[in-house]
Amino acid sequence: MFTGLIEEIGKIKAITKLNGGLKITVIADLIMNDVKIDDSIAIEGVCQTVVACNSNSFDVVAIEETMRKTNFAKLKANSKVNLERALTLNTRLGGHLVQGHVDCIGTVDSVVKEGTSYLVSIKFPNEFQKYIIPVGSICINGVSLTAARVEGTKFTVAIIPHTWDVTTIGNLKTGDIVNLEFDLIGKYIEKQMQFGNIKKESIWEQFANQPKI
């Protein structure tokens, strides 16, 4: 589990093809102080398992399913990537609950510079409309952000200067492919409703009908 608050920007040192997958070597600094084999690290919002590491880099293996659902096919040597280690129980949850399980890829539709911020609009597949709401949480390339506006299959986020400077969001341009993870809670509610585990009355009505103590 992650928060969507990027710890540092790493750099791809090498990429090796492994049948339908990739072995990816990432150079990092800050996060390497306690990284070990079997740790989970989110790379551009994709949860990966460390299979080897030394003092300044670590290796992961992206399998076929990861390649199908993410923008990892676009990675190359020297690409910059967002990095976040898995959260701990004593970590402030400053972003939102992020699994590192990418739902789909989106396409940057526009990047607009405003006075103190940047507006980034992203198009995404139609079937995911139900998982995003205005001012709801959205994870883009591992960065926890808020959907300022939602218009059909396009949403817009407002990026503060700090986020623009310390994540790979600042490198986005029109046409770029990004990893998207939608809010976890909506997916669970949908699943429960499909199997009839939620009564027809609303959750608020259920709460109101509880015996008073």
Side-chain angles (χ1 to χ4, degrees), residues 37-83:
I37 293 174
D38 290 333
D39 279 357
S40 293
I41 296 180
I43 303 173
E44 289 290 279
V46 183
C47 181
Q48 295 285 276
T49 300
V50 176
V51 298
C53 61
N54 55 39
S55 61
N56 65 358
S57 69
F58 64 92
D59 294 348
V60 301
V61 173
I63 62 174
E64 290 84 348
E65 184 69 5
T66 300
M67 301 303 296
R68 283 190 286 266
K69 289 185 175 180
T70 73
N71 65 2
F72 271 20
K74 301 290 185 180
L75 294 179
K76 54 184 182 296
N78 296 318
S79 291
K80 293 182 178 180
V81 290
N82 293 321
L83 300 176

Side-chain angles (χ1 to χ4, degrees), residues 82-129:
N82 293 321
L83 300 176
E84 182 190 357
R85 291 169 291 188
L87 64 84
T88 62
L89 292 178
N90 63 349
T91 299
R92 286 190 177 90
L93 190 61
H96 72 281
L97 291 177
V98 176
Q99 291 184 296
H101 300 163
V102 172
D103 290 301
C104 66
I105 55 175
T107 304
V108 176
D109 186 60
S110 65
V111 179
V112 178
K113 173 71 169 69
E114 295 201 303
T116 58
S117 64
Y118 298 82
L119 293 178
V120 179
S121 296
I122 295 173
K123 291 183 176 180
F124 61 96
N126 179 65
E127 61 266 33
F128 294 97
Q129 281 195 61

Side-chain angles (χ1 to χ4, degrees), residues 96 132 136-140 143-147 155 157 180-182:
H96 72 281
I132 186 166
S137 297
I138 180 70
C139 190
I140 304 173
V143 183
S144 175
L145 294 165
T146 300
F155 67 85
V157 292
L180 300 177
E181 181 183 337
F182 298 93

Side-chain angles (χ1 to χ4, degrees), residues 8-26:
E8 73 170 302
I9 295 178
K11 185 170 71 172
I12 302 296
K13 179 180 180 180
I15 295 179
T16 305
K17 292 184 178 181
L18 298 174
N19 295 321
L22 296 175
K23 175 185 174 184
I24 304 171
T25 302
V26 182

